[in-house]
Amino acid sequence: MRIKLTVAYDGTDFCGWAAQTGRRTVQGTLTEAVRQVSGEEIEILGASRTDSGAHARGQVCHFDTHVSIPPPKWASILNRVLPSDVAVQASKVEAQTFHSRFSALDRYYRYRILTVPRDPHRARFTHAYGRPLDVAKMQAGAHALLGEHDFLAFTEELDPSVENTRRTLYRFDVSQVRDEVWVDVVGTAFLRGMMRRMSGALLEVGRGHRPVEEVSRLLDAEERNRLQWPVVLPARGLCLMKVRYGRHTRDNRVGDPRTASIYDV
Amino acid sequence: MRIKLTVAYDGTDFCGWAAQTGRRTVQGTLTEAVRQVSGEEIEILGASRTDSGAHARGQVCHFDTHVSIPPPKWASILNRVLPSDVAVQASKVEAQTFHSRFSALDRYYRYRILTVPRDPHRARFTHAYGRPLDVAKMQAGAHALLGEHDFLAFTEELDPSVENTRRTLYRFDVSQVRDEVWVDVVGTAFLRGMMRRMSGALLEVGRGHRPVEEVSRLLDAEERNRLQWPVVLPARGLCLMKVRYGRHTRDNRVGDPRTASIYDV
């Protein structure tokens, strides 16, 4: 039976999602919890390999089990053995064709920037920029990034297996919410570090250090090499909000699996 | 020159406010920061000795200095050397008659109870009770605690120097805020553990384990010994929201200093 889990975590004390020997990771912690409950040597696969220190409200993962626990019960049973910085919010059965990574329609990330100096109650979940930002300019920059583009300037030095740095963003909003600026982005897939670099470029625009026109020039193959590439903001401000799936997961193998693979931020 | 600081902290990784040799405390961390900046052997005194693990949004403390830093600048200067789980929100000069503890008019505490199972993003700041609560019944219980009473049943085993366990609460609200229940209390002073035990009694009422009438019976000298005394809830749900002072601090030495002393939670 294939079980789908929706998972939230405070990523501060995890070395990211992906299991690594000798490191505390979310994937490793969840795998250990499921093995403890089921006694099976299961493997957990996730929708998105979030960075060390990045958070999730709606990470999705799946595993196969022969244990006869009713699928919706997995959430509360796993929460009994999980540490307080990770929690399963929901569990349900899925068809064997469901794959948390490849069946995903799109991912929704939020980057939170604090516009007041410091707040210890939000230190783990925000980038403390500490001064007001020109949100209208940031919105204009965000608009330039919406749609399908080559996001080469917004990623880490490339793994040679990434053949294609084109991605499509469906939603890109910048909004002032009380004393924070939220950068909300939805796209089918993201390059490694892409959210943190797009947010970094918009922060530079919002503080007046980079003209808003430069954002679209970073998308242009000829122009981008003449520009200073965007700074990567710290992972603590980043949160995977939601991974969306269609009603009929059997039909949802969207796009090229390579573009939705390990290069998700 | 007497400097007043308003301080916020995530208390999770502190052994409370009060300095203790060999332990990481808020008072100790702030004292070290001021000494580092000023080079003076200053002493910091605070309005409230919050418990290990309890938080603050508006703790107030003061110290005396001869260093010629403009008083409003202390906040940003100290924040440069303070760790991310404590921050100075404001700094200002006060008269030598001002005392963060004895000049305080009242203290405002909030206890946060999570009514959904778990949320890693709020694990440090809420008590994860995990089920819905009858807030109307909790409000009725809170109403019984409003005003002046002997709160003996709501404190720890007594230090012999506490002569008087009568306290006055001016405001006592219980409210459902999205998926949390907030217990908001304002009073001149609090006994040690009082907020966490009052919240514990109301939680028992809200979940139907204790009749609402029992709350007022806990205030009665003859009846309280026949009842089970309230459970103390974990410190992580507790936050010192605000300490209030009058306009003329010289006139604000309210009440008996003993009742506003080290027994504040």
Side-chain angles (χ1 to χ4, degrees):
Chain A
M1 191 187 298
R2 185 153 292 187
I3 303 292
K4 171 192 176 190
L5 304 178
T6 308
V7 178
Y9 44 89
D10 170 353
T12 311
D13 300 326
F14 287 106
C15 294
W17 164 265
Q20 301 167 66
T21 309
R23 301 236 173 162
R24 185 175 189 261
T25 65
V26 183
Q27 188 182 28
T29 302
L30 281 168
T31 302
E32 194 44 55
V34 175
R35 286 180 183 178
Q36 195 180 326
V37 166
S38 70
E40 299 170 313
E41 280 298 302
I42 61 95
E43 191 184 9
I44 290 189
L45 295 170
S48 187
R49 288 165 63 103
T50 54
D51 284 344
S52 185
H55 316 286
R57 291 191 175 278
Q59 169 75 290
V60 175
C61 58
H62 72 276
F63 63 93
D64 291 323
T65 180
H66 297 288
V67 174
S68 62
I69 292 170
K73 290 278 179 198
W74 276 99
S76 58
I77 290 171
L78 289 173
N79 284 337
R80 267 179 237 150
V81 298
L82 286 168
S84 66
D85 52 356
V86 53
V88 179
Q89 298 171 305
S91 53
K92 59 177 292 205
V93 67
E94 285 287 353
Q96 285 295 319
T97 50
F98 173 85
H99 190 291
S100 54
R101 188 197 297 166
F102 301 126
S103 307
L105 291 176
D106 52 43
R107 281 97 172 146
Y108 165 23
Y109 286 95
R110 171 174 293 164
Y111 198 93
R112 290 169 64 186
I113 301 168
L114 200 64
T115 57
V116 291
R118 274 157 58 106
D119 181 353
H121 294 235
R122 287 176 285 174
R124 296 163 80 91
F125 299 103
T126 54
H127 170 51
Y129 170 66
R131 283 181 290 275
L133 289 165
D134 186 332
V135 173
K137 277 192 187 162
M138 293 174 77
Q139 284 167 337
H143 190 74
L145 297 172
L146 203 59
E148 188 188 342
H149 304 285
D150 182 348
F151 287 96
L152 178 64
F154 296 93
T155 187
E156 290 180 12
E157 56 177 308
L158 282 177
D159 186 306
S161 68
V162 182
E163 295 174 11
N164 181 349
T165 48
R166 292 192 78 80
R167 293 292 184 277
T168 303
L169 304 179
Y170 297 119
R171 177 191 162 195
F172 207 134
D173 295 330
V174 180
S175 46
Q176 181 89 43
V177 181
R178 293 177 299 274
D179 53 6
E180 296 185 15
V181 170
W182 289 357
V183 178
D184 288 300
V185 187
V186 179
T188 46
F190 290 76
L191 297 163
R192 178 157 290 278
M194 180 170 153
M195 261 306 287
R196 293 161 59 190
R197 281 178 177 77
M198 293 193 302
S199 304
L202 295 180
L203 177 60
E204 292 300 294
V205 168
R207 69 193 289 201
H209 281 203
R210 188 191 278 270
V212 64
E213 300 73 29
E214 238 181 71
V215 176
S216 55
R217 289 167 58 204
L218 283 164
L219 297 170
D220 185 280
E222 297 196 358
E223 293 209 63
R224 68 179 153 229
N225 288 326
R226 290 193 291 272
L227 298 170
Q228 197 189 358
W229 285 28
V231 180
V232 61
L233 296 188
R236 76 174 71 88
L238 185 61
C239 184
L240 173 58
M241 302 296 283
K242 196 176 169 72
V243 183
R244 202 163 56 104
Y245 298 88
R247 284 200 198 141
H248 307 289
T249 56
R250 199 174 295 260
D251 305 326
N252 281 342
R253 292 180 170 260
V254 287
D256 178 353
R258 284 169 306 187
T259 66
S261 73
I262 60 166
Y263 303 102
D264 296 342
V265 176
Chain B
M1 190 187 300
R2 183 152 293 186
I3 303 291
K4 171 192 176 191
L5 303 177
T6 308
V7 178
Y9 44 89
D10 170 353
T12 311
D13 300 326
F14 288 106
C15 294
W17 165 265
Q20 301 168 66
T21 310
R23 299 238 173 159
R24 185 175 189 259
T25 65
V26 184
Q27 188 182 28
T29 302
L30 282 168
T31 302
E32 193 45 54
V34 175
R35 288 178 181 179
Q36 194 179 327
V37 167
S38 71
E40 299 171 315
E41 279 298 302
I42 61 95
E43 192 184 8
I44 289 189
L45 295 170
S48 187
R49 289 165 62 103
T50 53
D51 284 344
S52 184
H55 317 285
R57 291 190 175 279
Q59 169 74 291
V60 174
C61 59
H62 72 276
F63 63 94
D64 291 325
T65 180
H66 298 288
V67 174
S68 62
I69 292 170
K73 291 275 179 201
W74 275 99
S76 58
I77 291 171
L78 288 172
N79 284 337
R80 268 178 237 151
V81 298
L82 285 168
S84 66
D85 53 356
V86 53
V88 179
Q89 298 170 304
S91 53
K92 59 176 293 205
V93 67
E94 286 285 354
Q96 286 294 320
T97 50
F98 173 84
H99 190 292
S100 54
R101 189 196 298 167
F102 301 127
S103 307
L105 290 176
D106 51 42
R107 280 101 172 146
Y108 166 22
Y109 285 96
R110 172 174 293 165
Y111 197 93
R112 289 169 64 185
I113 301 168
L114 200 64
T115 57
V116 289
R118 275 156 59 105
D119 181 352
H121 294 234
R122 287 176 284 174
R124 295 162 81 91
F125 299 103
T126 54
H127 170 51
Y129 170 65
R131 282 182 291 274
L133 289 165
D134 186 330
V135 173
K137 276 193 186 162
M138 294 173 77
Q139 284 166 337
H143 190 75
L145 297 172
L146 203 58
E148 188 188 343
H149 305 284
D150 181 348
F151 286 97
L152 178 65
F154 296 93
T155 188
E156 289 180 13
E157 58 176 306
L158 283 179
D159 185 307
S161 68
V162 182
E163 294 174 11
N164 181 349
T165 49
R166 292 191 80 80
R167 293 290 183 279
T168 302
L169 303 180
Y170 296 120
R171 176 190 162 195
F172 206 134
D173 295 331
V174 180
S175 46
Q176 180 88 44
V177 180
R178 294 178 298 274
D179 51 8
E180 297 184 14
V181 170
W182 289 357
V183 179
D184 287 301
V185 188
V186 179
T188 46
F190 290 76
L191 298 163
R192 179 158 289 279
M194 181 170 152
M195 261 306 286
R196 292 162 58 191
R197 280 178 178 76
M198 293 193 303
S199 303
L202 296 180
L203 177 61
E204 291 300 294
V205 167
R207 69 193 288 201
H209 281 202
R210 189 191 278 271
V212 64
E213 300 73 29
E214 238 181 71
V215 176
S216 56
R217 289 166 59 203
L218 283 164
L219 298 170
D220 185 280
E222 297 199 357
E223 294 210 63
R224 68 180 154 228
N225 288 327
R226 290 193 291 273
L227 298 170
Q228 196 190 357
W229 284 30
V231 179
V232 61
L233 295 187
R236 76 174 70 89
L238 185 62
C239 184
L240 172 58
M241 302 295 284
K242 197 179 169 70
V243 183
R244 203 163 56 103
Y245 299 88
R247 283 195 201 146
H248 308 289
T249 54
R250 201 174 294 261
D251 304 325
N252 280 342
R253 291 177 170 262
V254 287
D256 178 353
R258 285 170 306 188
T259 65
S261 73
I262 61 166
Y263 303 102
D264 296 341
V265 176

